[in-house]
Amino acid sequence: MSSRKCMFVGWMGLLGLSLGCATVPGEVRLRADGTPLSEKCPEKSQEVMKYLRLFVGEAAWVQLDANQSRADTITLYDGPIESVLDEDIGTLDAPARLYGRVWTGGAQPVIRYYSAQSMKGGDIIPICAVARLGFGQLRKLPESKPGTAVLASPRAGVYIVNEFR
């Protein structure tokens, strides 16, 4: 049996354990400007990420909104988001779906990912990741209305984290 298949079998066992202890991701207290406060990455998510070699700081490119891929500008809304991983990260092969939540209250949106699913098949796995771009490139454009974030790019970096800050 290949090492990748062994890892997958072991991952399935960890996933089964983690589903019984799941909390509701994305339900966090907000600051006055509508951005979320810090949030711990659940222990089970950290265990699964370690097993899948999704180490803190690893990064890849992601299409922020699966429904607006490759557009010149995109509009994100407060609430759930489904993104598409453009590059492999750890043992998670691209393309894969990333599921999370968006908050648009501040100068730039906050995007946190709580789970992923390979588009080649498989179950949803718990993760902790954030979308970000340097040099203010994820800032909202002036035409953004309350509850939305109009962005100049449909892509961002997705980074594995052990705590949402």
Side-chain angles (χ1 to χ4, degrees), residues 9-28:
V9 170
W11 164 81
M12 292 301 289
L14 277 175
L15 178 62
L17 288 174
S18 67
L19 293 177
C21 302
T23 60
V24 180
E27 288 190 13
V28 298

Side-chain angles (χ1 to χ4, degrees), residues 21-157:
C21 302
T23 60
V24 180
E27 288 190 13
V28 298
R29 293 185 5 222
L30 302 178
R31 295 181 181 92
D33 69 355
T35 58
L37 290 171
S38 294
E39 177 184 10
K40 294 278 188 196
C41 180
E43 284 186 40
K44 292 298 179 183
S45 296
Q46 290 187 53
E47 288 177 30
V48 170
M49 291 189 311
K50 182 179 178 182
Y51 194 77
L52 294 177
R53 296 185 181 150
L54 297 172
F55 301 118
V56 172
E58 286 197 70
W61 285 104
V62 66
Q63 293 291 324
L64 289 170
D65 187 337
N67 296 313
Q68 300 179 70
S69 291
R70 316 261 191 254
D72 289 334
T73 61
I74 63 169
T75 302
L76 301 180
Y77 299 90
D78 284 323
I81 189 166
E82 178 182 349
S83 300
V84 179
L85 189 65
D86 281 344
E87 302 174 323
D88 297 349
I89 187 168
T91 57
L92 183 59
D93 294 334
R97 299 287 187 188
L98 301 180
Y99 302 104
R101 182 168 174 85
V102 177
W103 291 267
T104 63
Q108 64 185 36
V110 173
I111 305 169
R112 295 177 177 176
Y113 296 107
Y114 300 99
S115 59
Q117 183 175 31
S118 173
M119 290 171 57
K120 298 175 183 176
D123 294 323
I124 293 176
I125 60 168
I127 65 167
C128 294
V130 296
R132 58 173 70 124
L133 280 175
F135 306 108
Q137 294 174 321
L138 203 55
R139 290 210 179 274
K140 299 187 311 189
L141 295 177
E143 58 266 30
S144 300
K145 293 180 174 34
T148 69
V150 178
L151 304 177
S153 175
R155 295 179 81 205

